[in-house]
Structure formats: structure tokens, C-alpha cells
Amino acid sequence: MDVGYLAQYVMNGLMLGMMYALVAVGFTLFFGVLDVIKFSHGDVLTVGAFAGLATYLGLDLLGISSPVVLVLCVLSVSALCMALLGALIARYLVLPLRSAPPLNTLLITLMLGTVLRESVRLFYPQGANPKPFPALLPTDSVTMGNFNLRLDNVMMLFAGTIVIVGVHLLLTRTKLGLAIRAVAQDEETAKTMGINFKLIVLITFGLGSALAAFAGIMNGLYYNEINFGMGLLLGVIGFSSAIVGGLGNIYGAILGGFLFAALQTVGAVAMPFASAYKDVFAFGVIILIMAWRPTGLIREKVSERV
Amino acid sequence: MNRPPPPLLVASDLSKLFGGVVALDTLNLEVRANDILGLIGPNGSGKTTFFNVVTGIYPATSGRVTFDGAEITGFSTQAVYRSGISRTFQRSRLSLPLSVFDNIMVGNHKRLNQGLWFNLVRRGAFREEFEANFEEARTLIRVFDAPLAERMFEAVAGFPMIDRRRIEICRALISHPKLLLLDEPSAGMTHDETSALMDDILEVKARFKDLTIVIVEHEMGVIERITNRCVVLNFGQKICEGTYQEVSRDRQVQEAYLGIE
Amino acid sequence: MNDPRPRGGGLIACIVATIAVTAYVIALLVVESQIGILILLAGGVAAVLAAARFGVLARVGEGLARRENTLHLLAVVGVVVATAFFHEDHFILLMMATVILYVLATLGLNVQFGFTGVLNFAGASFFGVGCYTAAVLSMHTAVPHILVLLIGGLMAALIGSILLLPVLRTRGHYAAVVTIAFALLFKTFLEVNDVLGGPQGLRVAGMNLFGWEFNDNIQIGENLELSFYVNYIVLGLILLGLAFAFVRRLERSWIGLNLDAIRLDDTAAACFGLNIARWKITAFTIGNFLTGVAGGLYAMMLGFIAPTNFTFGDSLILVSIVLLGGIGNVWGLVVATTIVIILPEKLQAIQEYRFLLYGAMVILMLLFRPEGLLPRPLRRYFPGWQPR
């Protein structure tokens, strides 16, 4: 195989992996603090992408055309709105069900996902159709043989890395991060140490949801298109990545995301004739991984190190 | 003098590690047939872990367990139950939405016909088995509390803690186990309730001649009253055994409880 | 306290209640104007609330629970009367048959999820397996059609067994993801493959039972013609009756107890010798079988199937029915399916919004009444049995 093609595939895989990792980190954060899975996470991503698109259209109407302003506004509005949405979900749907069977949390967030997805489809103007997403980043590119390195992709990878490193620093270097980790470790002890449990949960859900918004925008910029069903696929893949990495482990989630993207990319390279089956392949891999290592690939290694 | 009967349950060099934490440390312990053995020790000394390892919830890290002359090390929870050991849980684990009768019948699993054909098609035969088991469960629960026996088809969720404990012990007893493991039966109950429940347990012991009981308890009054032998654990090891009077005078035991090094 | 007289309403009250319900459903189906339907719905809700307020509902409910055979008879008579009333109306009879087959399908889900706690978010996929099996076998082979239904169920159970390993090795959330992944995989697979018709779907032959063509209208005498959907209602009702009796017996046996015990606390259950894997496999397989059989007959009735019938959203609707009806309660399924299927057909305004509405309804239900519309009663191994 040509080196150029290979580089192209690696680049695509990295982009996918970055998006999966961002979603997976969200799942891991939620599971960490509350031991719950928030199945609406993927659909929060969708809503985030659409909120970003709406922000762009609004600014466009106002005549703002500076790309830097546009990007910053789109990102911050979308991330803030989704952080709020995530906190609201935690406050009104997840926390009230704490004493109910865990199944109910799963069902309620799954149904909320449906409500969000359907709301986008029904209430966003022509929401049932795919929407073009504007190219907000410079699309200059360098071509080397068969490899076309686009500036916007490099910028997104860079931004994604910064976000993930930022979350990591937040968790490990700040008081807030310490509080989140304390809650994740042991809720009761954290409470007795004077940590406002509820607030920390809301902040964590807000943070995770903002990450989803970021991933949603990234998805829109990468494919130049968004649709109401995009979050379902990304949510399931993100969740699987989080599991592969051992739920509750942020490094595992990141690794899981890239691993999953690698698998998909390798699948696409190895079986070009079956490109139509790429999603079938992805879901098949998820089922196989669950059968093989239901508690994740990383966890055991970590416990050995402890 | 007669030779003493062989012990019913023997743990030899039994160890259980969680990561780096040693919960059971080469524990050697014997339970003699027909005893009511008190298993005591400070928090985290490995009492509940011992139950969980014996019943197969956790695999032992090393060591052996033999029961009634046969090795049961590494047995699944199901196999341990079939061999004649049943238990209650520290935090009562009844199925709250189910009826009293249903909960007790869960404990009777090995004596009920579980065949699909029997259950779904041969309803007449099923009815006979059902009625026989109902009578047996009712007789058993009357040993504890007569009014409770009239409320067999009410959900467990509606009963107070003492009744739940009684139901849980009935669930463990209905299959006629040789060994009954009681994990802190007094937890969450008042002094009077505890006292009433201990009367019940002694009554049960009087009725089931061959029953051996191991009881984990923090209430020393309970231990003093109902056990005829005690084993004291600390840091997963046996530090003392004998009658309650003997162990309560032991210096090591006092140190363990008071935390003196 | 030990009143020997059976409590609950008398037989007359039960019959009156059945007549009222049948008449109400018929009225709901007859009325075309949207305002009229809204008024009827409001009236129905008000009547149920009033009956509940004055204890009528509880008394009739108890009376019917005490006379189960009467209840079954009355239910069948109600369906027969409604069918006779609409004997020419294709559209309404199709709706009724759909309700019957959906109840059959959700009975399967109820065994898995309601009894055993095994989540299955791929219900529509297993329904779809039954449909595609019926399509292939009815168009390309000479297998007798009643066997086609059976094979449809077996295929669903067989394909479900692929998921058994991951479902057994995982719990709660993880198992849910396995079935979600399968639901998405199944729909995508149907769309991209060429053999099974791709996105265009497949045609399905109508049911032919020992020479009796189900897709011909039934001519009785000179001037009475019954819609061909009556055939499907009758066969559907028979299958549903069998499945209903089966699931009821399962529930009222040691096996039903095992399933409940595993759902509520599998660690405790394992400590009393229950083989968790065995009973989960049993429940998952039985459930998929029932769902597959329902799918087979549904496909023959529609005559045409396409991947869009078997989306993840449809699976969620099946789960919603179980949740709304009252988890584990077989009669709850009947009530919830009727609401979920008929409401959007009659109220055109909500047709487009139905996924959204059901999602919202389930959320509210989980928050405020998690036991569902008809909470599941305690197990009674033999109804009416009293200890001596």
C-alpha cells in the first residue's frame, strides 16, 4: 500500500478517535461520580451540533463574518448550552431516581435521548434532513502524493488534544477536580468532608455534556454535515469505547476511543469491497468486545499497578 | 470418653486477598457438628469475608475448605448450597416486591421440581407440590411468629425489620441445611427485637436436631446467650477460641477490641 | 379479617364494565372527527379517574381477578363483538389485528424484561427476524404457512442466541448496549444487503391455512361480506390466547419465581442454587420466540415489509409498552398496546410526534408512577386458592 494512502487513513482514524474519545470521557465522568450510564449523551451531542449551527446562522444574519469570532461563539454557545442541559438532566432526571433500581435511570435517559432526537427532527426547521455545516476553519491543505493534509483537521486534532489535556489537568490539578475525584471514590466520605455532593454531580454532568457539544461541532466541521440521528451512533460507539477502557477510567476512555477508531479504519482498509457494511462491522465489533471482555480491557492492568 | 465427631466445616490455611488487602490470612477454623458457633472480631476482621468465601461468592486466594467430609474449595455458590450450607446476609437481601411465601421458596430451590414440563403442563402435580410446600413453609414460620404465618401472601416490603429477619432465616432453613450461616442477624433492630429473634433461633435449634449454626455478631450479649463456642478473628486470623467466658477473658481479644497494640 | 365471602364486585358489575369498555373502544374507533376523539379521550380519562376515586375500579378489578375464566371469556367476547361491528372496515380491523400481534410480541419482551430483568432493546429486530423469515419462506418455498410462523419464532430465538454470550456475561447497562448495538446492526444490515431486498424490502405472501386463503374477503350468504383482516384477527387471537396461557403458567410456577428472584437480586438467588445463566437463557429464548411468531403473522398480514419497520425507535416503542402497562403485568400490555397503537392512528395530529410523545410519557411514568398503569399484582400460583 502507498504511504500516502496510509497517512490519509491514519489521519482519518485520528479524527474519528478524537471524537470517540471526547464522548467516551463524558460517559466515564458520569459513571465515575454517580455509577450511572446516561444514555442520552449521544443525543446531547446532536443537540450541541445543532445549537452550534443555529448560533452560526444567527451570527451570519447579524453580518458577523470574522472566522475567529464565529468559531469562538459557536463553540462557547454550544458548550455552555449543553453544559446547562447536562446539569438539568442530572438535576431533574438522574438524581431523583437515585434510590430507584439502576434500570430506571438507564430507561429514563434512553427515553430522554429519544425525546431530544425527535425534538431536533421535528422542531428544527427541516430537521429531518441532513444539514450542511459551515466550514468555519481554514481549509488550506498540503498535498503529499496521495496524502492530503488539511489545516482544519490539524487544528481540530490540536484543539481536541488541548481539551482532553485540559480536562485531565482540571481533574488532577484543581480543587474542583479533587472534589470530583473524591465523590467518584466514595460519596459518603466526600460528603462528610464538606463537599457539596449535588453541586459536584451537576458540574460533572455539565462538563461531560460540554465535551459532547465540542465533539458534535467537531463532527459537523469534519463531515460538513450534521443530522438528527448522528448522536445515536456516536453515543453507542462512545459508550463502547468507555467500556473497552474500563468504565470510570479517563485514560482508558481515551485509549478506547482511539482503539475503536483504529479498528474501524483497519476494517475499512482490509475490506474495501464491504464499505457499505462499515457500520454493521462497527456494531458487530461492539457485540464481540462485550462478549469477550465485558468489563473492559484496561481495568485489570490498572489494578495490577495499584 | 467417646471420640469427638469429625468437624462439620474445616477451613485450612484459608486466605483471601483483595488487591493488596489481606481479608483472610491463612485462617484455620473448625466448626463442630451441632454447635452454635459465634464468629466475632472487630470491624474488617474478615468475618463476612469468611462467609462469602465459604459460600463461593468470592473464590479463595489459597487454602482449602471441607464440609461434611468433602472438599468444597472453589465450589460455585449453587454447589455450596446444594451440599447443605445456607446463609443470611448482613444487609437483608430479600426480594421486597415478592410475597413472604415466594421469598421462602427461593431458598427451597433444590427441593422443588424445576422442569419446564412439570411447571407448565402438569399443573395437577405442580399443585400438590405447591400445597405441600406451603404447609411446610407455614409450619416453619410459625416457629418464629404465628401471626406472620397468616400473612404468607403479602409483599415483604410491608414488614418491619424483625419480620424480615425471620423470613430471611426461614428462607435459609426451608431446604433443611446442615449448616446455617447467620450474618449479623441483629443489625438494624432494637434490643427487644434482637432478644425475641434470639429466642426464635434457639427454638429452631431445638427443633432441628442436626442443625449447626455459625453466627457473626457484634452484640456480645447475643453471643454470650446463644453460642456454646466462639472464634475470634482479627486481621483475618484466628486469635482465640473457646466458650464466651474464656474468650472474653483473653488478653489478645481485649487488645483487639480496644485497639491496643 | 377472614371473610369467607369473595370481596370485589359481583359478576353483573364485571359484565357491565366489559360492555362499557367494549362500547367505548368501538366508539373511539368509529369517530372520525378529531374534536370528537379528543372529547371521547377526555371523557374516558375522566371516567377512569372517577371510577378509581369511588373505588369502582378496584372492586371490578378484584372481581375480575377472582373470576379469571370469566375475564378471559369477556375479553374474547369483547374482541368478537368489536370485530363483528367493523366487519367490513379494513382499516379499523387492521388496527385491531396490529394491537393483537403487538400484545403477542410484547408478551415476549415481558418475559425477558418484566420477569427476568434481561433488557432487550432489539425487540423490533426479533419481530423483524420473524417478518423476514415469513417473507422468504412464503415466497420461495412451499413450507406450510403455520409452520412458517413457528420457524419465524425459532429463527428469532436462534439469532437471539448469538447475543446470549454477551448478554449473560454482562449486567444491566452493558447488556442494554449489546442489544442496542444489535438493533442498529440489524437495521443497517437490512438496508445494505441485496439478498433481502435492501431498503426496498420484500413482498410477503398472505397466510394460507390448509387451503384457506387469508387474503380473500369472507363471503357469508348473499349479502354479508367480512373483511379479510377478520382471518388475521381470529388467528392472532388464537395465538395470543395460547401465548397468554403459556406466559401466565410460566409466571405462576417455580420458574416464574426463579425469574423474579434473578431480576431482583441475582447474588442472593445464586446463593440458593439458582442457575442464573440457565434461566436467563430460558427467558431470553422464550421471549424472542414469541416476538418472532408475532412478526411472522404481521408480515403476512401486511404483505410487504421494509427495514424502516424495524428501527431502534420501534424497539423503544415495544419497551415503552411494557413500561407503561406495568412491568411484568400481562394485562397491562393489553391496555398499553391499545393506547400506543390506536392513539396515533386516530389522532392524526400526533402521528408525527409519536416517538416524542411516548418518550415523554415513559419519562413521566418513571418519575411519578414507576409501577406503570396497571401495577403487577403479587404472584398467585392458583387464582382463588386459599390456605386451609
Side-chain angles (χ1 to χ4, degrees), chain C residues 166-191:
Chain C
V167 166
L168 286 178
R169 290 193 57 174
T170 56
R171 279 186 190 182
H173 304 114
Y174 299 86
V177 174
V178 172
T179 57
I180 292 173
F182 180 73
L184 297 173
L185 181 152
F186 184 76
K187 158 98 183 329
T188 323
F189 174 77
L190 289 181
E191 272 173 349

Side-chain angles (χ1 to χ4, degrees), chain C residues 7-275:
Chain C
R7 279 166 298 150
L11 186 61
I12 307 289
C14 298
I15 293 174
V16 170
T18 313
I19 293 172
V21 169
T22 311
Y24 179 73
V25 173
I26 289 178
L28 197 60
L29 290 170
V30 169
V31 175
E32 295 279 337
S33 97
Q34 301 290 296
I35 298 289
I37 291 168
L38 282 177
I39 292 172
L40 262 179
L41 286 175
V45 172
V48 169
L49 289 179
R53 176 75 185 72
F54 295 109
V56 179
L57 208 58
R59 273 183 41 223
V60 171
E62 250 179 67
L64 284 172
R66 197 162 284 282
R67 301 182 185 80
E68 259 192 359
N69 292 330
T70 317
L71 170 63
H72 298 155
L73 185 71
L74 286 174
V76 172
V77 169
V79 175
V80 170
V81 168
T83 310
F85 188 89
F86 295 110
H87 61 274
E88 284 178 326
D89 194 326
H90 289 321
F91 179 66
I92 287 179
L93 291 174
L94 170 63
M95 237 190 298
M96 286 174 57
T98 306
V99 169
I100 289 173
L101 292 177
Y102 262 67
V103 175
L104 181 56
T106 48
L107 264 180
L109 220 54
N110 194 52
V111 172
Q112 301 172 337
F113 166 54
F115 294 172
T116 323
V118 174
L119 284 167
N120 183 354
F121 289 109
S125 309
F126 294 112
F127 194 74
V129 171
C131 288
Y132 274 86
T133 309
V136 171
L137 290 183
S138 71
M139 297 301 282
H140 302 288
T141 68
V143 178
H145 283 177
I146 197 76
L147 276 184
V148 168
L149 297 184
L150 190 70
I151 297 171
L154 290 175
M155 280 298 287
L158 189 73
I159 290 183
S161 65
I162 299 172
L163 296 187
L164 273 176
L165 184 65
V167 166
L168 286 178
R169 290 193 57 174
T170 56
R171 279 186 190 182
H173 304 114
Y174 299 86
V177 174
V178 172
T179 57
I180 292 173
F182 180 73
L184 297 173
L185 181 152
F186 184 76
K187 158 98 183 329
T188 323
F189 174 77
L190 289 181
E191 272 173 349
V192 296
N193 88 89
D194 304 320
V195 187
L196 293 174
Q200 273 74 48
L202 288 178
R203 277 186 10 85
V204 193
M207 182 84 187
N208 181 318
L209 198 62
F210 310 118
W212 178 281
E213 276 294 344
F214 270 43
N215 283 21
D216 295 340
N217 289 348
I218 309 160
Q219 193 72 40
I220 299 175
E222 280 294 300
N223 40 22
L224 182 62
E225 189 172 286
L226 303 184
S227 158
F228 71 94
Y229 283 117
V230 171
N231 292 315
Y232 287 101
I233 289 185
V234 171
L235 182 60
L237 205 56
I238 292 171
L239 290 178
L240 178 60
L242 290 172
F244 197 92
F246 173 79
V247 171
R248 259 285 141 101
R249 284 190 170 191
L250 189 77
E251 185 188 356
R252 292 168 171 175
S253 71
W254 305 136
I255 296 176
L257 173 60
N258 294 341
L259 303 184
D260 279 334
I262 288 169
R263 180 184 82 248
L264 292 164
D265 187 343
D266 56 356
T267 307
C271 282
F272 293 103
L274 275 81
N275 185 337

